[in-house]
Amino acid sequence: MSADTSEMYRLMGKMVISGGELEFALGMMAATLRGESWGSKVMAQPVSQIMDATAKEAAKSQRPERVAQWRSVLDECRAALERRNQYVHGLWTSEYDPVAGEFGNRSTTRPVRGGGLNRQSATRDDLQELQEIFGMLSRTINTWEWKA
């Protein structure tokens, strides 16, 4: 295995763990808004349902401007998680370079709802950036103040 491939695997693992931490933060927020414990049934739901639950619960009890700000955070979470899903659930392909004798130019391909395929380049920089985005979003959620 090439050093580049090893590095991609390492970054992929870090990105996936960071995405899981974001999902946990979202679940904790949903449980908190519902007045439930973190191990509740909230945590067993798909992350899209958890995000919907936080928006719904916040709209019941929080100021409209904070709810709007929260929805903006959720939009960022959805976009980042969709990028993660491209890596995690996509079919990985590499182009073989016969001169170098190795594979390069990785990409992932996933079916798109309604038909077609979404193909995106898979790069170390993108994995690193996505991990950083997950960290920033997790910190935002973990330090969120509804009364602000």
Side-chain angles (χ1 to χ4, degrees), residues 24-54:
F24 182 78
L26 287 162
M28 289 293 292
M29 180 62 77
T32 299
L33 286 167
R34 288 182 173 180
E36 299 176 4
S37 67
W38 75 267
S40 69
K41 63 182 178 183
V42 168
M43 300 300 279
Q45 297 175 333
V47 71
S48 60
Q49 289 179 10
I50 290 172
M51 288 188 286
D52 292 345
T54 65

Side-chain angles (χ1 to χ4, degrees), residues 2-146:
S2 73
D4 183 58
T5 298
S6 293
E7 180 66 1
M8 286 291 285
Y9 289 167
R10 185 185 73 78
L11 291 170
M12 178 77 164
K14 288 178 76 172
M15 181 274 295
V16 169
I17 289 169
S18 295
E21 290 168 347
L22 174 60
E23 287 192 33
F24 182 78
L26 287 162
M28 289 293 292
M29 180 62 77
T32 299
L33 286 167
R34 288 182 173 180
E36 299 176 4
S37 67
W38 75 267
S40 69
K41 63 182 178 183
V42 168
M43 300 300 279
Q45 297 175 333
V47 71
S48 60
Q49 289 179 10
I50 290 172
M51 288 188 286
D52 292 345
T54 65
K56 181 179 177 183
E57 291 298 322
K60 290 179 187 177
S61 61
Q62 305 299 323
R63 293 189 352 248
E65 61 273 12
R66 284 304 273 169
V67 173
Q69 292 166 343
W70 180 250
R71 289 184 190 276
S72 178
V73 170
L74 292 178
D75 288 344
E76 291 179 55
C77 290
R78 288 180 204 282
L81 290 166
E82 182 59 31
R83 280 176 63 191
R84 178 208 52 190
N85 288 346
Q86 180 72 30
Y87 281 105
V88 173
H89 301 293
L91 171 66
W92 282 70
T93 57
S94 297
E95 295 174 16
Y96 184 72
D97 180 348
V99 174
E102 60 186 37
F103 288 92
N105 297 327
R106 293 177 179 86
S107 63
T108 65
T109 304
R110 281 182 72 202
V112 177
R113 286 189 180 132
L117 296 173
N118 181 18
R119 183 173 189 228
Q120 294 182 0
S121 292
T123 67
R124 290 187 303 261
D125 289 344
D126 192 51
L127 287 169
Q128 181 67 42
E129 177 186 60
L130 191 49
Q131 177 196 352
E132 291 168 5
I133 289 169
F134 284 142
M136 181 270 305
L137 289 169
S138 293
R139 284 187 299 280
T140 298
I141 291 165
N142 288 330
T143 59
W144 189 263
E145 295 285 336
W146 282 108

